[in-house]
Amino acid sequence: MIEHVYRRASAARTVAGVVVATDDARIVEAVAAFGGVACMTRADHPSGTDRLAELAAELPAGILVNVQGDEPLLDPAAIDAAVAPLLADPAVGMSTLCRPLAADEAARPDVVKVVRALDGTALYFSRAAIPYPRDPAAAACYAHVGLYVYRRTVLLRLAALAPSPLERAESLEQLRALEHRIAITVVETAHAAPGVDTPADLERVRQQFLLQATRE
């Protein structure tokens, strides 16, 4: 799975290099086996953001992308879409993605929802159904796509902050940014692909790869 994610991330036009940050030596070995680059990090990080910040402290890059290792169907265009706001506006310090929420996903806590302000910045992320659909026609509902882009300075600032109350309550690292008034630009994308969060997800992805191999 990690090789698929690595190669898809490498194919993004806005990405100059890919490094796998992990605290598991087995992952480092697996990445080395297919010719990728991996780096061991501490095992005590509370979130992926904190793990990336450890690596970012040693890198000269001004913009960094955090791609989860459980996104084997990641579309490289999704990365480019998330990076675009930071390239266009130096005032944007952090961005992520969203997609339209399917009707059967509203009650699923494993599908994170996001509500945006009129300027496209995040108002809140939750595992609950937000906004409450009292008038379903009044506002669109979006699922959050867990891919983040940071300016290096913002990432290091964020990682220096302790996990926040809402972050701990919902187990969503992006809430730390919102609680500290760090704006997150949320870009709607049509390039979202399902991640692997459950055994059923893994089997579904395997079937997609088998179908793709059969067509080729």
Side-chain angles (χ1 to χ4, degrees):
M1 185 186 303
I2 192 65
E3 181 176 359
H4 285 291
V5 178
Y6 190 100
R7 297 197 183 285
R8 286 175 178 265
S10 299
R13 293 182 296 102
T14 52
V15 170
V18 177
V19 180
V20 176
T22 180
D23 61 358
D24 192 326
R26 294 171 298 178
I27 293 178
V28 172
E29 293 174 2
V31 173
F34 65 74
V37 178
C39 179
M40 285 289 291
T41 60
R42 301 198 318 268
D44 60 347
H45 291 301
S47 72
T49 297
D50 301 283
R51 188 177 309 283
L52 177 62
E54 180 187 342
L55 184 61
E58 306 299 325
L59 295 174
I63 296 176
L64 297 104
V65 182
N66 185 358
V67 175
Q68 306 297 322
D70 59 0
E71 300 280 349
L73 298 178
L74 174 72
D75 190 327
I79 295 177
D80 294 330
V83 171
L86 281 81
L87 296 179
D89 185 353
V92 176
M94 180 175 175
S95 68
T96 189
L97 300 171
C98 71
R99 60 170 176 79
L101 182 72
D104 62 350
E105 294 177 321
R108 288 175 52 187
D110 58 304
V111 178
V112 178
K113 295 80 180 176
V114 60
V115 173
R116 300 188 296 174
L118 294 177
D119 65 357
T121 56
L123 291 173
Y124 194 65
F125 298 85
S126 181
R127 297 185 183 279
I130 56 171
Y132 180 78
R134 188 163 185 171
D135 181 359
C141 297
Y142 294 101
H144 176 225
V145 179
L147 183 155
Y148 302 95
V149 184
Y150 307 89
R151 250 177 241 290
R152 185 174 183 273
T153 51
V154 171
L155 174 60
L156 296 180
R157 175 193 168 196
L158 189 58
L161 300 169
S164 59
L166 290 174
E167 175 187 6
R168 294 196 302 270
E170 295 241 26
S171 190
L172 296 175
E173 62 189 90
Q174 62 270 40
L175 291 176
R176 189 190 316 176
L178 296 189
E179 287 189 84
H180 287 279
R181 299 293 188 179
I182 297 174
I184 305 175
T185 296
V186 184
V187 179
E188 183 177 355
T189 179
H191 301 293
V196 178
D197 299 309
T198 66
D201 292 338
L202 178 59
E203 183 57 30
R204 185 161 50 249
V205 168
R206 281 175 173 164
Q207 292 303 318
Q208 290 192 43
F209 277 124
L210 287 174
L211 180 60
Q212 180 178 347
T214 300
R215 289 173 176 171
E216 294 176 351

